[in-house]
Amino acid sequence: MSKTPTLRLDRLLANLGYGSRREIQMLVNRSCFRLDGEVLRKVDQKMALTADLCDRLQYFREPLDPLPGLVVMMNKPLGATCSHNEAGDLVYRLLPERWQKREPKISSVGRLDKDTTGLLLLTDDGDWLHQVISPKRDVPKRYRATLARDLRGDEGVLFASGKLQLESEKTPCLPASLEVVSAREAVLTLTEGRYHQVRRMFAAAGNHVTALHRLSVGGLALPEDLAPGAFRVLGEGEKAAVMG
Ligand code: URA
């Protein structure tokens, strides 16, 4: 059986963005943290990172932020960018301010374009992130595309062929499946994630995507009641569902 990892209280809280180790010393001196109702007084106390720690360890009587290994699903709104380095409207700004100071950092699992909406996963777990985006895993991603022109009728065969060569790509796209919803709307399922892939695939078929929305990643669908810009933390079952 693997041993439960432990971390000093000040290191744990600093990693979760509660402040520098000095600031945490001050918060502890002010009796801001309690474990099972008892005030914590020692910053060097070793904390076992058990799944229930967030409920047992309180900050001003509020449960602690999620422990490392966090996965969040967001309904990415139009116009937000999946980048840590750009100015402007970043998806990370939609998360609580303290979460933006966490170490390891929270990053998006792959990227959605600024003009794409829908299911975006974010995590601080680098191993999990790499598993989801690994070509070996073939995690399917479903996108609903709204088109400027009527479908011609041959797109499904073209996209499924495994022979569609996009400009400046060395290899053709892997076979992708297309479900036609109406003359100008279709759902495309990809198992890879090339730059602007959906838009470029439809452009190669003589069309233009006017709106793009990601519906699901693996076995995890975006819930209809998650409003644009809203997010929530995934449970273990939902994390597993992403891998299919
Ligand atoms: N394909 C695109 O063209 N854009 C996205 O954001 C995702 C997939």
Side-chain angles (χ1 to χ4, degrees):
M1 234 182 24
S2 66
K3 238 178 118 210
T4 307
T6 60
L7 216 50
R8 273 175 61 125
L9 177 65
D10 54 359
R11 169 51 57 207
L12 170 67
L13 296 173
N15 287 356
L16 293 178
Y18 284 86
S20 64
R21 288 182 63 181
R22 207 165 146 258
E23 287 163 339
I24 285 159
Q25 176 72 68
M26 291 192 312
L27 291 172
V28 167
N29 292 347
R30 286 170 51 206
S31 308
C32 297
F33 296 97
R34 287 171 188 258
L35 183 65
D36 299 329
E38 296 288 320
V39 172
L40 288 172
R41 305 208 178 272
K42 290 194 167 157
V43 289
D44 62 355
Q45 176 171 344
K46 284 273 170 64
M47 308 299 301
L49 306 185
T50 53
D52 62 357
L53 184 62
C54 299
D55 295 319
R56 294 174 52 215
L57 209 174
Q58 295 185 326
Y59 175 54
F60 287 114
R61 307 267 181 190
E62 291 291 326
L64 197 72
D65 289 347
L67 295 182
L70 168 73
V71 180
V72 167
M73 76 154 106
M74 179 184 283
N75 185 353
K76 182 192 164 296
L78 205 60
T81 306
C82 298
S83 166
H84 278 295
N85 307 323
E86 287 172 34
D89 193 3
L90 307 183
V91 289
Y92 304 105
R93 302 243 169 94
L94 296 166
L95 298 175
E97 210 180 321
R98 192 161 56 226
W99 295 19
Q100 298 170 42
K101 299 182 198 144
R102 288 169 67 113
E103 270 310 323
K105 262 190 180 7
I106 297 177
S107 299
S108 65
V109 181
R111 287 181 175 206
L112 290 177
D113 301 337
K114 194 173 177 183
D115 295 336
T116 301
T117 57
L119 178 56
L120 179 68
L121 297 172
L122 302 132
T123 186
D124 63 357
D125 183 341
D127 289 342
W128 191 83
L129 185 156
H130 285 109
Q131 282 183 50
V132 178
I133 63 173
S134 164
K136 288 188 206 130
R137 280 270 177 176
D138 278 355
V139 173
K141 291 139 219 135
R142 294 178 78 231
Y143 296 89
R144 188 182 63 227
T146 309
L147 303 163
R149 289 178 275 284
D150 287 0
L151 288 157
R152 299 186 306 215
D154 63 343
E155 294 86 349
V157 174
L158 177 66
F159 295 166
S161 69
K163 293 188 181 138
L164 177 61
Q165 185 71 47
L166 299 176
E167 218 179 293
S168 70
E169 295 279 345
K170 288 200 184 89
T171 54
C173 294
L174 291 175
S177 88
L178 187 77
E179 301 153 55
V180 175
V181 178
S182 67
R184 293 193 182 188
E185 196 169 90
V187 173
L188 184 59
T189 304
L190 305 181
T191 55
E192 53 182 348
R194 303 185 192 208
Y195 180 68
H196 287 179
Q197 184 165 352
V198 175
R199 295 174 202 276
R200 289 162 75 209
M201 286 172 74
F202 278 105
N207 215 320
H208 175 71
V209 173
T210 56
L212 189 58
H213 181 78
R214 185 151 71 185
L215 299 165
S216 63
V217 177
L220 183 77
L222 183 71
E224 281 183 9
D225 59 359
L226 196 67
F231 67 89
R232 71 169 172 77
V233 176
L234 294 191
E236 288 304 318
E238 291 171 312
K239 272 172 79 170
V242 171
M243 300 294 183

